[in-house]
Amino acid sequence: MASHKDSHFFEGRKSQSDLNENGASHGEWGRAWKADWFSLISVIFLLLFCPFIVYYFIMSCDQYHCSLSEPAIQLLTGKVHLLDIWDKTPPFSWKVLILYFSWVMFQAFLFMIPDFCHKFIPGFQGGVQEGAISPAGFKLKYEINGLQAWLITHALWFANVYYFQWFSPTIIFDNWIPLFWCANIMGYLTSIFVWIKAYLFPSNAKDCKFTGNFFYDFMMGIEFNPRLGKWFDFKLFFNGRPGIVGWTLINLSYAAKQQELYGQVTNSMLLLNVLQGLYVLDFFWNENWYLKTMDIAHDHFGWYLGWGDCVWLPYLYTLQGLYLVYHPVQLTTSYAVGILLLGLVGYYIFRMTNHQKDLFRRTDGNCKIWGKKPKYIECAYTSASGTKHYSKLLISGFWGMARHFNYTGDLMGSLAYCLCCGFNHILPYFYITFMTILLVHRCIRDEHRCSNKYGKDWKRYTDTVPYRLFPGIF
């Protein structure tokens, strides 16, 4: 927060930080030490209005057939009142609350089980892995078992659908708004708990940042890596589970509802499930790599991650599937193939760009990219302790085309999701709009930090690779 928070809000799609970070000073990491007036106003605005934004989107589908303009127009013209909309909104349910918290506890249980997938799946890096160095100089260990949790969860889901039949596969859609109230409760309880924990029993006091401003600290987070015990890491759990494990289940529930309502599942819904399922599987396959991303290596854990991963991610990143339940779209074969190719090419660019950077880092440049020895610019910086460090910035392969070309692939995939829904409503296109703002803002934030860190060396780098996202354009 996308996700992400800072300059990228709610980490939905998890994209890798573009630059090497070895021994950065405390001040260069994470959120700010002080909250200026602009940041404070922005924080208060987001705290007040984000829950209502999410509610507005799902309410518009439930009551206005996914029209974003109609409820606003009717409210402004006096045709309906807020209480009329509220009275038609499905209420909070204790039964659904028990269901939701059982889901979260089940994912927490899976989160604590040692990984066994890496023992029999070739190429998968699971089990105990090391994360990046924290601001205070600590290197935490993580139990990487997200793929295992995803496989177990979905095996049980399909076992229920085809054998046990304990509940309908449409259960998520049928309780979507009551689940929204439960997700908000979880998001706020988590955010309040880690805020209190930072004061009373922080996991590492040296990795905390206090501004003294309640709103800023509550939203942006105080602790860098809040944990319970040795292994339950709040940041990794809420960033990766239960929201992203649930993403594919939510889409499957949408598909089941289409089948129930119309007697078939449209090819657009199938295509959406495939493309977003590919992204989710990629996330868990590369969970070890994710430990080095901005989400884990730079962000503190507060409301923007705690609430964002409980509410913003599962509710707004799945809008395309929700829309297709109300507006089933059967794509022509050529159009469906075009969307599939766009999504797969975007995924290829996203994955290979990050693979090139990861390979370059792991081998310290002793590798080949596109069949050639990689080129790089060596940069120097000085940490707060006065120690001089060196980083190598890759300028070969996709990284020679643009400074954040992994984000370019990400945006291509995001656009493919939206195109599955046709062009009759704007609601499905919220995702590409949000992702564009998020990633452009993230580029600017990351480059501002790196400019301060590397100085003249950063200028040499940007002169060599002049474009951020789109070669020849931006």
Side-chain angles (χ1 to χ4, degrees):
M1 277 186 190
S3 317
H4 7 252
K5 86 208 123 162
D6 49 43
S7 70
H8 63 295
F9 192 71
F10 307 149
E11 290 306 312
R13 306 264 304 183
K14 314 297 182 178
S15 301
Q16 186 174 10
S17 175
D18 292 324
L19 303 168
N20 294 318
E21 297 293 345
N22 300 314
S25 69
H26 198 299
E28 293 169 335
W29 290 65
R31 35 143 282 197
W33 281 100
K34 296 180 180 179
D36 55 52
W37 281 107
F38 177 77
S39 296
L40 186 58
I41 292 171
S42 300
V43 163
I44 293 174
F45 175 83
L46 293 172
L47 286 171
L48 288 176
F49 291 103
C50 277
F52 294 101
I53 291 171
V54 180
Y55 169 75
Y56 188 87
F57 272 92
I58 59 175
M59 176 277 300
S60 69
C61 282
D62 184 58
Q63 298 185 31
Y64 291 89
H65 220 57
C66 296
S67 171
L68 290 178
S69 59
E70 191 62 25
I73 292 172
Q74 290 196 9
L75 284 169
L76 290 173
T77 57
K79 292 182 179 179
V80 299
H81 298 89
L82 286 174
L83 284 178
D84 298 327
I85 294 175
W86 182 255
D87 288 340
K88 295 179 183 178
T89 301
F92 168 81
S93 164
W94 285 102
K95 182 179 179 180
V96 176
L97 181 68
I98 293 171
L99 176 69
Y100 179 83
F101 274 80
S102 298
W103 157 254
V104 175
M105 291 301 102
F106 176 62
Q107 290 305 312
F109 169 73
L110 295 179
F111 187 72
M112 299 305 294
I113 297 177
D115 181 77
F116 56 79
C117 283
H118 69 282
K119 296 181 179 180
F120 63 86
I121 300 180
F124 174 64
Q125 295 183 357
V128 178
Q129 302 287 340
E130 286 188 342
I133 301 173
S134 76
F138 296 96
K139 183 174 285 189
L140 296 177
K141 292 185 177 181
Y142 298 82
E143 181 69 49
I144 298 301
N145 59 5
L147 180 63
Q148 176 176 284
W150 188 90
L151 290 172
I152 292 173
T153 301
H154 286 71
L156 291 173
W157 174 272
F158 284 109
N160 171 74
V161 172
Y162 292 107
Y163 182 72
F164 297 112
Q165 297 180 346
W166 289 327
F167 54 83
S168 169
T170 66
I171 187 172
I172 299 175
F173 176 86
D174 293 338
N175 295 282
W176 197 222
I177 292 182
L179 284 168
F180 172 71
W181 310 128
C182 302
N184 271 278
I185 292 171
M186 174 58 74
Y188 277 95
L189 286 179
T190 301
S191 304
I192 293 169
F193 176 79
V194 295
W195 181 81
I196 294 173
K197 180 181 180 299
Y199 282 92
L200 301 182
F201 52 101
S203 299
N204 193 308
K206 294 182 179 179
D207 276 333
C208 292
K209 281 189 176 183
F210 297 90
T211 65
N213 185 285
F214 166 78
F215 297 105
Y216 189 85
D217 288 347
F218 178 72
M219 178 176 174
M220 302 308 300
I222 298 172
E223 277 202 84
F224 195 71
N225 291 109
R227 289 190 167 196
L228 289 178
K230 183 179 179 180
W231 294 109
F232 191 85
D233 186 273
F234 278 78
K235 197 190 296 185
L236 183 61
F237 177 74
F238 282 98
N239 268 291
R241 277 74 65 71
I244 295 186
V245 172
W247 189 340
T248 40
L249 293 184
I250 293 166
N251 282 342
L252 288 171
S253 186
Y254 291 156
K257 195 64 181 181
Q258 260 200 357
Q259 179 67 42
E260 178 186 290
L261 292 174
Y262 312 110
Q264 66 170 342
V265 178
T266 62
N267 60 359
S268 57
M269 180 68 83
L270 291 173
L271 185 57
L272 181 68
N273 270 261
V274 168
L275 290 176
Q276 293 192 339
L278 177 64
Y279 169 74
V280 170
L281 276 174
D282 176 88
F283 173 81
F284 287 122
W285 182 268
N286 295 285
E287 193 175 15
N288 178 46
W289 157 84
Y290 176 58
L291 298 179
K292 307 300 193 299
T293 64
M294 294 182 72
D295 309 340
I296 298 296
H298 294 281
D299 291 335
H300 292 252
F301 188 82
W303 181 88
Y304 88 97
L305 280 183
W307 180 88
D309 289 321
C310 287
V311 182
W312 188 273
L313 187 155
Y315 276 85
L316 294 189
Y317 287 18
T318 62
L319 282 176
Q320 293 82 31
L322 182 65
Y323 173 86
L324 289 173
V325 175
Y326 292 94
H327 297 274
V329 175
Q330 189 67 25
L331 305 171
T332 64
T333 301
S334 58
Y335 186 64
V337 170
I339 295 173
L340 179 62
L341 288 175
L342 175 64
L344 292 178
V345 170
Y347 170 74
Y348 175 80
I349 292 173
F350 172 77
R351 175 47 45 214
M352 290 307 299
T353 305
N354 287 323
H355 171 70
Q356 289 177 356
K357 176 57 66 70
D358 184 57
L359 178 64
F360 178 75
R361 285 175 172 172
R362 285 189 289 106
T363 63
D364 195 29
N366 296 314
C367 60
K368 288 187 176 182
I369 293 177
W370 289 354
K372 298 178 181 179
K373 187 174 178 61
K375 298 179 181 180
Y376 59 87
I377 291 177
E378 189 165 9
C379 301
Y381 66 95
T382 304
S383 66
S385 63
T387 304
K388 196 168 187 177
H389 301 272
Y390 296 91
S391 292
K392 296 176 180 179
L393 304 183
L394 181 63
I395 56 173
S396 289
F398 284 120
W399 295 97
M401 298 176 66
R403 300 194 293 269
H404 305 269
F405 208 62
N406 53 339
Y407 294 169
T408 306
D410 208 349
L411 290 173
M412 292 172 65
S414 301
L415 179 60
Y417 304 161
C418 302
L419 290 174
C420 290
C421 300
F423 301 98
N424 289 330
H425 282 75
I426 195 173
L427 179 141
Y429 289 86
F430 168 81
Y431 188 71
I432 183 61
T433 304
F434 170 73
M435 288 302 298
T436 301
I437 295 171
L438 183 152
L439 293 179
V440 169
H441 198 185
R442 192 166 188 169
C443 287
I444 295 170
R445 181 192 72 160
D446 198 30
E447 295 195 1
H448 175 74
R449 176 174 57 86
C450 292
S451 178
N452 291 334
K453 178 178 179 179
Y454 294 117
K456 293 181 179 179
D457 290 335
W458 179 253
K459 180 65 167 56
R460 287 196 298 128
Y461 172 66
T462 55
D463 287 343
T464 306
V465 187
Y467 296 103
R468 287 190 172 108
L469 286 171
F470 302 103
I473 302 175
F474 172 72

